[in-house]
Amino acid sequence: MARHLANPFIATVYVLYMAGMGTCMGSVMTSALRTLADNQQTEGNAILNTLQQFAGAVGTSLSAVVVAQSQTYLAGSQAYTTTTAVGTQNAFIMLTVFATVIWFSYFKVVK
């Protein structure tokens, strides 16, 4: 299904995703920093921002590895654009699994 999505649909999903990130990240960081003492909040803010950037870099790197491995594995049997599409689909499945695990972990911890 992923190979047949229209560009406007992908852009709409991305805009909705980023709007959700923008609305929740401030609240999450505020809630996390409230648990710290006043003299530790600057360090907590730095740690949260660093972890957010690190997690984004790791996610991007893992996705790139999945796409590259799919291109290498399927190089002889399919066209290059098809192998990229398959690799992107595999990366999307991997990220969906990660998101599902994080979602259930969140509800298990927060209750």
Side-chain angles (χ1 to χ4, degrees):
M1 178 178 108
R3 288 185 264 165
H4 304 290
L5 297 177
N7 288 341
F9 178 75
I10 294 170
T12 302
V13 169
Y14 183 72
V15 166
L16 291 173
Y17 170 75
M18 291 311 293
M21 285 286 293
T23 57
C24 79
M25 284 310 293
S27 299
V28 169
M29 287 184 72
T30 300
S31 177
L33 292 174
R34 243 186 352 190
T35 63
L36 298 175
D38 287 341
N39 63 343
Q40 295 176 326
Q41 288 187 357
T42 54
E43 290 88 359
N45 187 29
I47 290 170
L48 287 173
N49 283 319
T50 301
L51 287 175
Q52 185 179 9
Q53 294 231 348
F54 182 73
V58 168
T60 301
S61 298
L62 286 174
S63 297
V65 166
V66 169
V67 172
Q69 287 298 325
S70 296
Q71 289 173 338
T72 302
Y73 180 74
L74 298 172
S77 62
Q78 298 178 8
Y80 185 74
T81 56
T82 304
T83 59
T84 302
V86 170
T88 305
Q89 185 175 358
N90 292 339
F92 179 75
I93 291 168
M94 176 192 70
L95 293 174
T96 302
V97 169
F98 287 166
T100 304
V101 169
I102 291 168
W103 181 264
F104 284 118
S105 298
Y106 171 77
F107 283 110
K108 185 175 177 92
V109 171
V110 174
K111 297 178 187 177

